[in-house]
């Protein structure tokens, strides 16, 4: 039995066509569809049309609208503070579906990740460095909170305005509590993570200037185009630039071209290689909390154990 893609239900197609028509100022009609479910954590795809196609993704989560609104706010922040390319929202970017919320953008003609060239990877590095050139006086982001994947992300600055405190109080400890509550985190790793937090002062390296981060900079959250890299799925705040560099290859190897491109714009501290796994701890906890019993999430338990073991 063939299961219809949720973005192809008649009511959902009508909502997408309506939003695109209002955005265009005249009638827009979907003339075909490409399924992108395998490349996204939500049901996603491209409705093809003229003069633009529409990328759509659907959330059926109770807080799906809030997640998508935070993503749109993040892209708006990046547009306001940097020249980095972002996708254009269709209308407000949000539309209602039968059973959830739609996020809509003008589709970006991209080179698929398997076909990326060395120049594409260097463009990702340069794009990250361009983001990081935007800075602020405080770590965090007072304007709005975000989501790291499906998990709420508290961006409020901390009183001390020290990076080690922000990383501990706003990233590691909240996700440690979430992972413990999920019952997916072994007790010995809970204790090791708690011990790590106590020693962060001596591990975080030189105090950085707060840089604007992508926030979830794994390499699939960039689109490679003929004019450079486009950022998607952002959850920005002002933090340590090494966070983004550590996440680029968290789910799969990335060529050295990424760091080479980054270095064309900004230097990378020699201590980054030592700290790379330190900056991944919060992300490992997030994956374990969400999917620690599934085949994907389980592989991050030994990775977390290894990371915590490096910093004893």
């Amino acid at each position: 039995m063939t299961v219809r893609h949720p973005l192809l239900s008649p009511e959902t197609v009508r909502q997408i066509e309506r939003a695109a028509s209002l955005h265009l100022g005249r009638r827009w009609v979907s003339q075909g569809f490409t399924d992108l479910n395998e490349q996204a954590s939500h049901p996603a795809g491209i409705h093809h049309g003229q003069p633009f196609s529409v990328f759509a993704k659907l959330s059926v989560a109770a807080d799906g609208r809030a997640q998508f609104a935070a993503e749109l706010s993040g892209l708006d922040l990046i547009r306001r503070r940097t020249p980095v390319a972002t996708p254009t929202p269709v209308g407000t970017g949000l539309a209602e579906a039968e059973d959830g919320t739609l996020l809509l953008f003008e589709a970006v003609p991209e080179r698929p990740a398997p076909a990326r060239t060395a120049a594409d990877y260097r463009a990702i590095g340069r794009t990250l460095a361009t983001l990081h050139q935007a800075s602020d006086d405080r770590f965090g982001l007072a304007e709005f909170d975000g989501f790291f994947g499906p998990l709420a992300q508290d961006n409020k600055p901390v009183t001390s305005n020290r990076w080690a405190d922000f990383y501990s109080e706003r990233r590691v400890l909240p996700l440690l509590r979430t992972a413990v509550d999920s019952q997916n985190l072994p007790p010995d790793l809970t204790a090791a993570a708690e011990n790590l937090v106590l020693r962060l002062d001596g591990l975080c390296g030189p105090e950085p200037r707060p840089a604007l981060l992508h926030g979830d900079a794994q390499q699939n959250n960039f689109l490679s185009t003929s004019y450079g890299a486009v950022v998607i799925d952002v959850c920005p705040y002002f933090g340590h630039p090494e966070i983004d560099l550590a996440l680029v290859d968290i789910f799969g190897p990335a060529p050295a071209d990424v760091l080479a491109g980054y270095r064309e714009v900004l230097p990378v501290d020699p201590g980054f290689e030592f700290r790379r796994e330190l900056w991944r701890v919060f992300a490992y906890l997030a994956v374990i909390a969400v999917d620690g019993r599934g085949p994907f999430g389980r592989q991050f338990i030994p990775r977390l154990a290894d990371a915590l073991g490096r910093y004893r």
Side-chain angles (χ1 to χ4, degrees):
M1 176 179 169
T2 301
V3 178
R4 183 175 61 190
H5 194 290
L7 290 175
L8 290 176
S9 74
E11 179 57 26
T12 297
V13 174
R14 278 194 292 272
Q15 290 292 342
I16 292 170
E17 290 181 335
R18 179 176 181 274
S21 297
L22 290 171
H23 177 67
L24 180 60
R26 58 183 171 83
R27 189 169 182 240
W28 185 94
V29 177
S30 175
Q31 299 171 339
F33 181 76
T34 298
D35 183 347
L36 296 179
N37 277 4
E38 291 187 359
Q39 301 175 36
S41 56
H42 296 86
I46 295 175
H47 279 274
H48 299 281
Q50 294 295 331
F52 56 82
S53 296
V54 176
F55 169 83
K57 64 180 176 180
L58 171 70
S59 176
V60 297
D63 59 357
R65 188 175 185 87
Q67 290 186 39
F68 288 165
E71 182 177 340
L72 288 164
S73 294
L75 291 168
D76 178 67
L77 173 68
I78 288 170
R79 282 191 292 272
R80 286 188 281 113
R81 295 293 301 268
T82 78
V84 166
T86 63
T88 300
V90 172
T92 66
L94 297 174
E96 298 305 319
E98 293 173 276
D99 51 359
T101 302
L102 293 165
L103 181 63
L104 306 176
F105 295 108
E106 292 186 15
V108 176
E110 63 166 315
R111 190 162 23 256
R116 279 178 175 155
T117 65
D120 291 329
Y121 283 106
R122 293 179 84 96
I124 290 173
R126 287 193 300 272
T127 295
L128 277 179
T130 302
L131 275 177
H132 296 167
Q133 286 180 310
S135 62
D136 198 80
D137 294 331
R138 298 189 66 78
F139 294 108
L141 183 64
E143 291 180 51
F144 56 88
D145 292 329
F147 288 83
F148 187 73
L151 301 176
Q153 175 174 278
D154 185 352
N155 290 332
K156 288 191 298 293
V158 296
T159 303
S160 69
N161 198 33
R162 296 175 62 250
W163 170 248
D165 293 337
F166 183 88
Y167 186 56
S168 168
E169 295 175 30
R170 298 289 184 258
R171 295 296 176 262
V172 178
L173 284 174
L175 287 165
L176 176 58
R177 287 192 291 270
T178 303
V180 169
D181 290 345
S182 75
Q183 301 185 336
N184 295 336
L185 187 67
D188 60 323
L189 294 188
T190 300
E194 290 170 342
N195 288 333
L196 175 72
V197 167
L198 297 176
R199 291 179 289 104
L200 278 176
D201 267 346
L203 295 171
C204 286
E207 186 75 351
R209 185 174 184 186
L212 181 59
L213 305 186
H214 179 293
D216 189 7
Q218 56 103 352
Q219 59 191 289
N220 290 330
N221 286 341
F222 298 84
L223 304 179
S224 294
T225 76
S226 59
Y227 51 87
V230 177
V231 297
I232 59 171
D233 290 337
V234 300
C235 50
Y237 60 98
F238 291 90
H240 199 312
E242 290 178 0
I243 291 280
D244 277 347
L245 296 179
L247 294 183
V248 166
D249 56 351
I250 189 171
F251 296 135
D257 299 288
V258 175
L259 281 181
Y262 189 93
R263 289 189 177 102
E264 291 175 15
V265 181
L266 289 176
V268 177
D269 188 274
F272 167 61
E273 288 303 324
F274 168 75
R275 294 185 291 270
R276 185 194 296 262
E277 285 295 305
L278 182 66
W279 307 138
R280 291 175 171 174
V281 166
F282 84 103
Y284 291 155
L285 288 168
V287 175
I288 291 166
V290 173
D291 191 45
R293 299 188 186 199
F296 177 74
R298 278 199 304 269
Q299 65 185 303
F300 286 85
I301 293 175
R303 290 184 65 176
L304 176 62
D306 179 69
L308 294 171
R310 292 181 185 216
Y311 303 107
R312 285 179 181 159

